[in-house]
C-alpha cells in the first residue's frame, strides 16, 4: 500500500497553479506548446508514473518484509551505531533535506571527500555511491559504518549494539543472534591496527557470525531505504496532462520553463545522461568537473571496480542471498574502459533545485554554475571529458557523437527555470511504499 506522508488536495492544486507571485519566475503560463511525436515520446519517458517498481534484489531476501523495513528505519536513525554516538545514517541523509545534507562534502565523525547522495530511488541503481564501489543497497549501507570519517565504528561494536538495543526486532527478522558478550568490544577487519589485531584473534566461525549480523544490519537499512519513493513534481503534472491531451497543461508550466524543457531534451543534450523517470542513466561519465583537491584528483569509477569485486559483501559473497547466476552485473562488470578514469555516476535530478551544492564534491554552488560548466566544457584534470567544445587549439573531439553545448544567456536562464519544476509539489520530497 502506498500512502503520501503529507499532502492535501488544496496544497496540490495551489502548487500546480502558475501565479505571478512566484519569486523566481514571473513569466506567463506557457499556454499551448506544440511538441512533435518524437518529443512527446521523450517527455513520456520522464514521467514519474512511468517509473516501474524497483527491481528485486536477490541478494537481500528480507527487503520486502515490513518488519525488516521498520527495523531498518530504526537503525537508520540510531546514532549509537557510531563511534562518538552523534552520527546516524540520517545525519548525512536527512529526510528533511531529500536524504542528503546540503554540504559540499559529508561530515560524520570526520570530514569526507565527496558529497552525500540522496537515497530515494536508489533501489533502481545497479551500482551505489558516486563511484559505484558497492553493488547493492545493503552493501552500500555497511560502508559508512566502518568508514573512519563517517560512523567510525567497527563490526563487533555494531553487533553488540544490536544485541543490546534491537535484539527483539532483529531476531524477528533474522533469527537468533549468536553469542557476542565474550567478544572484544572493538574488532574489525577494516579498523585501526588494534581493531584488526583483535579481529584476527577471534575464531573464524565466530568472525563469520559477527559479519553475518553486520550484513543483516545493512539488509534491514536497505529495506527501509528501498521503501522510499519520490513524490510527484509540477513537471509530472504537466506531462500527464499533456499526454492525455488536457488543455489544462498549458497552465502548469511557465513559458520560460517550457522553453527550458525543450532545451533539456534537445539542444542542451541533458537528457542524453539525465533520462528516464529518475533523470539518471545510472552510468558513469567524465564531464571534466574540476577536482576539489587539485593535488589529488579523484579517479572515480576507475578506482572502484577492484573494490566492488573484492568486497566480501558483494552479490557473489558469502553473505549474499543470491545465486551466482543472479549476479550478472558484477560478473560482467566493465573494468578496463579508459572512459572510467575520472568518471562519476549521473545523479538523478528530482528535487535538484532544493539541494545545492552540486557535483560529486559540491564544486558548484548554483544550478546556473552547473549549466555554465557544461557550456564551457573544460578539459578534464584526469582522463578525458565526454563534453566537446570549440576551444581555440582544440584537437579532434574524443566523443564525436556529442555536439558542443552552446547556449545563449537567455537559454541558460530558461534551462535553470525548467530544473526548478522538478521539485516536489508537496511539503515532503518522498513517499513511503
Amino acid at each position: 500500500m502506498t500512502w503520501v506522508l503529507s499532502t492535501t488536495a488544496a496544497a496540490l492544486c495551489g502548487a500546480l497553479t502558475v501565479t505571478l507571485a512566484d519569486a523566481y519566475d514571473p513569466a506567463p503560463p506557457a499556454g499551448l506548446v506544440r511538441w512533435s511525436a518524437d518529443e512527446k515520446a521523450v517527455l513520456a519517458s520522464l514521467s514519474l508514473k512511468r517509473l516501474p517498481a524497483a527491481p528485486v534484489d536477490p541478494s537481500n531476501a528480507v527487503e520486502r518484509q515490513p518488519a525488516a523495513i521498520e527495523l531498518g528505519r530504526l537503525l537508520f536513525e540510531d546514532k549509537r551505531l557510531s563511534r562518538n554516538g552523534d552520527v546516524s545514517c540520517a545525519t548525512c541523509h536527512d529526510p528533511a533535506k531529500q536524504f542528503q545534507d546540503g554540504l559540499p562534502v559529508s561530515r560524520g565523525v570526520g570530514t569526507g571527500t565527496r558529497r552525500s547522495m540522496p537515497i530515494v530511488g536508489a533501489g533502481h541503481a545497479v551500482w551505489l555511491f558516486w563511484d559505484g564501489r558497492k553493488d547493492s543497497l545493503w552493501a552500500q549501507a555497511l560502508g559508512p559504518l566502518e568508514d573512519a570519517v563517517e560512523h567510525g565504528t567497527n563490526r563487533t561494536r555494531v553487533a553488540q549494539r544490536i544485541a543490546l538495543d534491537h535484539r527483539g526486532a532483529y531476531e524477528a527478522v533474522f533469527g537468533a543472534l549468536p553469542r557476542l558478550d565474550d567478544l572484544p568490544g572493538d574488532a574489525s577487519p577494516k579498523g585501526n591496527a588494534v581493531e584488526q589485531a583483535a579481529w584476527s584473534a577471534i575464531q573464524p566461525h565466530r568472525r563469520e557470525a559477527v559479519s553475518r549480523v553486520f550484513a543483516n544490519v545493512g539488509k534491514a537499512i536497505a529495506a527501509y531505504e528501498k521503501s522510499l519513493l519520490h513524490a510527484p513534481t509540477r513537471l509530472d503534472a504537466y506531462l500527464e496532462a499533456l499526454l492525455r491531451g488536457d488543455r489544462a497543461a498549458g497552465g502548469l508550466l511557465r513559458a520560460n520553463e517550457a522553453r527550458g524543457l525543450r532545451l533539456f531534451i534537445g539542444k542542451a543534450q541533458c537528457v542524453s545522461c539525465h533520462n528516464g523517470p529518475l533523470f539518471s542513466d545510472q552510468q558513469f561519465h567524465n564531464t571534466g568537473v574540476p577536482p576539489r583537491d587539485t593535488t589529488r584528483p579523484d579517479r572515480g569509477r576507475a578506482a572502484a571496480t577492484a573494490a566492488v569485486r573484492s568486497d566480501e559483501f558483494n552479490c557473489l559473497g558469502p553473505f549474499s542471498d543470491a545465486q551466482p547466476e543472479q549476479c550478472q552485473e558484477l560478473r560482467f562488470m566493465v573494468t578496463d574502459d579508459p572512459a572510467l578514469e575520472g568518471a562519476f555516476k549521473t545523479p538523478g535530478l528530482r528535487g535538484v533545485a532544493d539541494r545545492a551544492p552540486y557535483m560529486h564534491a559540491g564544486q558548484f554552488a548554483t544550478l546556473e554554475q552547473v549549466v555554465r560548466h557544461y557550456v564551457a566544457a573544460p578539459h578534464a584534470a584526469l582522463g578525458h571529458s565526454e563534453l566537446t567544445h570549440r576551444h581555440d587549439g582544440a584537437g579532434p573531439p574524443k566523443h564525436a557523437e556529442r555536439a558542443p553545448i552552446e547556449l545563449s544567456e537567455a537559454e541558460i536562464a530558461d534551462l535553470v527555470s525548467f530544473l526548478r519544476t522538478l521539485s516536489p509539489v508537496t511539503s515532503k520530497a518522498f513517499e513511503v511504499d
Side-chain angles (χ1 to χ4, degrees):
M1 176 178 180
T2 299
W3 70 92
V4 180
L5 286 182
S6 176
T7 182
T8 66
L12 177 62
C13 291
L16 295 180
T17 301
V18 175
T19 73
L20 297 180
D22 189 296
Y24 287 115
D25 296 297
L32 178 64
V33 178
R34 297 191 181 280
W35 301 95
S36 70
D38 288 344
E39 286 175 325
K40 283 187 175 180
V42 176
L43 294 177
S45 72
L46 301 176
S47 172
L48 187 60
K49 283 194 173 181
R50 313 302 166 97
L51 180 66
V56 172
D57 178 5
S59 71
N60 184 358
V62 305
E63 67 172 3
R64 299 296 296 176
Q65 294 184 18
I69 294 171
E70 176 57 16
L71 173 59
R73 185 187 66 79
L74 295 173
L75 298 176
F76 188 87
E77 298 171 351
D78 193 341
K79 293 183 178 181
R80 293 168 297 190
L81 298 178
S82 65
R83 179 172 293 278
N84 61 6
D86 288 333
V87 178
S88 71
C89 302
T91 300
C92 296
H93 301 282
D94 185 346
K97 298 178 180 177
Q98 298 186 41
F99 290 89
Q100 53 89 50
D101 57 13
L103 299 174
V105 294
S106 59
R107 291 180 192 159
V109 299
T111 301
T113 58
R114 293 181 185 154
R115 184 157 174 21
S116 62
M117 299 188 82
I119 58 174
V120 180
H124 290 265
V126 173
W127 309 110
L128 284 300
F129 286 122
W130 283 102
D131 58 6
R133 64 184 182 276
K134 294 287 187 176
D135 68 341
S136 72
L137 205 50
W138 66 271
Q140 183 278 329
L142 298 176
L145 293 172
E146 290 190 299
D147 188 288
V149 299
E150 296 187 66
H151 289 240
T153 188
N154 57 69
R155 212 162 292 188
T156 57
R157 183 181 289 211
V158 168
Q160 290 170 344
R161 290 250 53 117
I162 295 300
L164 187 63
D165 303 319
H166 300 284
R167 177 180 291 275
Y170 176 94
E171 292 188 338
V173 178
F174 298 108
L177 281 161
R179 185 182 177 191
L180 301 165
D181 58 343
D182 59 338
L183 292 177
D186 293 302
S188 170
K190 293 182 178 296
N192 57 37
V194 174
E195 292 169 343
Q196 290 186 34
W199 183 256
S200 298
I202 300 173
Q203 292 176 301
H205 74 283
R206 300 199 71 189
R207 292 202 300 259
E208 180 178 345
V210 172
S211 292
R212 188 165 298 282
V213 174
F214 187 68
N216 289 341
V217 167
K219 291 177 181 179
I221 294 173
Y224 166 63
E225 293 178 341
K226 204 164 182 176
S227 74
L228 304 172
L229 307 175
H230 280 289
T233 67
R234 191 150 55 86
L235 176 69
D236 294 313
Y238 173 77
L239 295 179
E240 290 308 311
L242 173 73
L243 296 171
R244 65 174 180 265
D246 188 340
R247 296 182 66 83
L252 298 177
L253 288 189
R254 296 182 176 89
N256 54 344
E257 294 166 342
R259 292 193 300 268
L261 173 56
R262 194 182 296 282
L263 290 166
F264 186 89
I265 67 171
K267 181 180 178 182
Q269 306 173 54
C270 312
V271 80
S272 63
C273 296
H274 293 284
N275 50 45
L278 296 177
F279 290 81
S280 171
D281 62 1
Q282 308 290 351
Q283 297 302 311
F284 303 90
H285 302 276
N286 183 335
T287 57
V289 176
R292 191 168 190 83
D293 183 349
T294 56
T295 64
R296 294 183 298 174
D298 194 333
R299 296 187 63 203
R301 181 60 173 167
T305 55
V308 69
R309 177 156 286 171
S310 63
D311 184 9
E312 65 180 310
F313 299 114
N314 69 23
C315 187
L316 291 167
F319 307 104
S320 167
D321 299 320
Q323 298 299 313
E325 61 271 20
Q326 294 176 300
C327 304
Q328 303 287 57
E329 295 286 353
L330 180 62
R331 294 174 65 191
F332 299 104
M333 175 177 60
V334 174
T335 61
D336 58 354
D337 186 346
L340 300 180
E341 192 71 46
F344 295 89
K345 188 175 175 180
T346 307
L349 296 183
R350 289 190 171 274
V352 68
D354 304 316
R355 48 181 168 83
Y358 303 103
M359 303 304 189
H360 62 274
Q363 288 94 330
F364 301 131
T366 68
L367 286 173
E368 181 179 327
Q369 289 177 355
V370 173
V371 175
R372 290 187 185 281
H373 166 79
Y374 285 100
V375 173
H379 295 292
L382 200 63
H384 296 284
S385 173
E386 296 180 13
L387 304 179
T388 58
H389 50 71
R390 302 183 200 278
H391 298 166
D392 292 341
K398 298 286 184 183
H399 296 270
E401 74 279 9
R402 291 186 184 274
I405 299 173
E406 297 174 323
L407 302 175
S408 68
E409 291 296 312
E411 288 171 331
I412 290 173
D414 287 344
L415 190 53
V416 171
S417 294
F418 159 68
L419 292 172
R420 294 192 184 112
T421 71
L422 299 177
S423 295
V425 296
T426 67
S427 60
K428 289 285 187 180
F430 64 94
E431 303 172 347
V432 178
D433 185 14

